[in-house]
Structures are given as structure tokens and as C-alpha cells.
């Protein structure tokens, strides 16, 4: 359950785009940018306030892969598993991330909400394979040891 400040923020975002159905996507994009996920309660609230059904709002939010109903960590790490990265051993990078952070396919966010690990089909940086991003910053030619160093550096920042 979200507190009143979330609804107040949603109201200010709705005000920017206007109370019209065409504003659904930019509104929920801004909400997700603010909280690193899309709280389901806010999706319902937005739908009601801009004149779309809950079903329509959910169909839009679940159609686009970039929307998440689960809270994400401060650092969202995306590991590419496209062909070029896969053949260059991106799975060993993913395994090291899981090991270093105590995560798995079933649990992809650390308890302290510092890290979220996801796999993606392609990051469009095949010449830099294997590659991962941290909050959209590209890290090329990764190895398991480089991953451990990166994680430690990010932890040290906090």
C-alpha cells in the first residue's frame, strides 16, 4: 500500500499531461521513473482520473516490457543474453551477479533494495560483447571478475 505522497505525486504528473486517455503512457512512464516501478494502486488511480478502464490501463502496462509492478533496486543491472553476448559467455556474468548478490532467477532484487538484476534479449552493443548496463550505462567486455569489481565499487558508493 502506498501512502498519500504517492497519490499527490501522481496528481502532479497527471496535471502535466492532462486528464485524457492519450496521456496514459507518459503518465505511467513518469511514475515509474519516480519510483523505479509502477505501483498497481497508482495505475488504478491514474486510470480513474484520466477516463480509462482499469482493464485498459493494465493491458497497456503489461504489454510494454519496460513497466514493472515490482519495486526495483537503486541499481538496475541488465545482462544481455543476445547471440553475441551469449556466445561470449554472458551466462557466467549472470551467474557471478547472482552469486555475489545472493540472487536467482526467482529473486532478482536484493533485500536492501540496492540491486536488481535482469536479463534482456539485446542491448544493441554486440561489438562490445559480453555487455551489461547499470542504470543504462554500458559496461563492455565484461568478465566474472570485472562484475565482482563493479558490484564492490557500487556498494562502496553507498
Amino acid at each position: 500500500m502506498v501512502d498519500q505522497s504517492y497519490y499527490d505525486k501522481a496528481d502532479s504528473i497527471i496535471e502535466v499531461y492532462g486528464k485524457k486517455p492519450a496521456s496514459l503512457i507518459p503518465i505511467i512512464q513518469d511514475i515509474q521513473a519516480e519510483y523505479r516501478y509502477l505501483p498497481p494502486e497508482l495505475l488504478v488511480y491514474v486510470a480513474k482520473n484520466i477516463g480509462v478502464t482499469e482493464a485498459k490501463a493494465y493491458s497497456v502496462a503489461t504489454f510494454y516490457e519496460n513497466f514493472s509492478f515490482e519495486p526495483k533496486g537503486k541499481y538496475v543491472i541488465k545482462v544481455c543474453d543476445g547471440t553475441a553476448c551469449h556466445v561470449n559467455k554472458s551466462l557466467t556474468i549472470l551467474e557471478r551477479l547472482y552469486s555475489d548478490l545472493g540472487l536467482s532467477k526467482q529473486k532478482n532484487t536484493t533485500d536492501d533494495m540496492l540491486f536488481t538484476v535482469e536479463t534482456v534479449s539485446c542491448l544493441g552493443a554486440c561489438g562490445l560483447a559480453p555487455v551489461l548496463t547499470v542504470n543504462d550505462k554500458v559496461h563492455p567486455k565484461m568478465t566474472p571478475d570485472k562484475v565482482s569489481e563493479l558490484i564492490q565499487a557500487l556498494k562502496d558508493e553507498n
Side-chain angles (χ1 to χ4, degrees):
M1 185 113 196
V2 297
D3 65 37
Q4 185 59 42
S5 67
Y6 282 67
Y7 294 101
D8 294 342
K9 183 63 179 178
D11 286 338
S12 68
I13 293 170
I14 291 168
E15 189 175 312
V16 169
Y17 295 102
K19 290 187 175 187
K20 55 187 186 270
S23 299
L24 177 63
I25 291 175
I27 289 169
I28 62 178
Q29 283 175 320
D30 282 8
I31 289 171
Q32 179 158 298
E34 179 74 19
Y35 301 111
R36 293 190 304 272
Y37 81 110
L38 180 58
E41 303 95 328
L42 287 187
L43 182 61
V44 171
Y45 181 78
V46 167
K48 178 181 173 187
N49 277 278
I50 65 169
V52 300
T53 65
E54 285 182 38
K56 176 67 173 176
Y58 271 98
S59 72
V60 168
T62 56
F63 176 78
Y64 294 103
E65 193 173 298
N66 65 321
F67 291 118
S68 172
F69 292 114
E70 297 296 320
K72 293 187 178 192
K74 178 179 179 179
Y75 300 108
V76 178
I77 302 169
K78 295 180 181 180
V79 179
C80 182
D81 195 34
T83 303
C85 289
H86 186 82
V87 300
N88 281 290
K89 301 186 170 59
S90 63
L91 290 181
T92 62
I93 291 163
L94 183 62
E95 289 167 2
R96 179 66 67 93
L97 282 167
Y98 285 161
S99 174
D100 286 0
L101 297 173
L103 298 175
S104 66
K105 283 185 181 181
Q106 294 74 33
K107 181 181 189 240
N108 66 347
T109 300
T110 57
D111 292 336
D112 61 5
M113 297 301 293
L114 200 54
F115 297 98
T116 296
V117 175
E118 302 174 340
T119 57
V120 295
S121 298
C122 184
L123 288 170
C126 301
L128 304 175
V131 67
L132 64 78
T133 61
V134 178
N135 295 348
D136 298 322
K137 181 182 178 204
V138 175
H139 294 268
K141 305 283 185 190
M142 293 303 292
T143 65
D145 289 342
K146 285 183 181 179
V147 165
S148 292
E149 291 170 14
L150 176 61
I151 293 302
Q152 190 56 54
L154 293 171
K155 286 179 178 180
D156 290 346
E157 287 180 14
N158 292 281

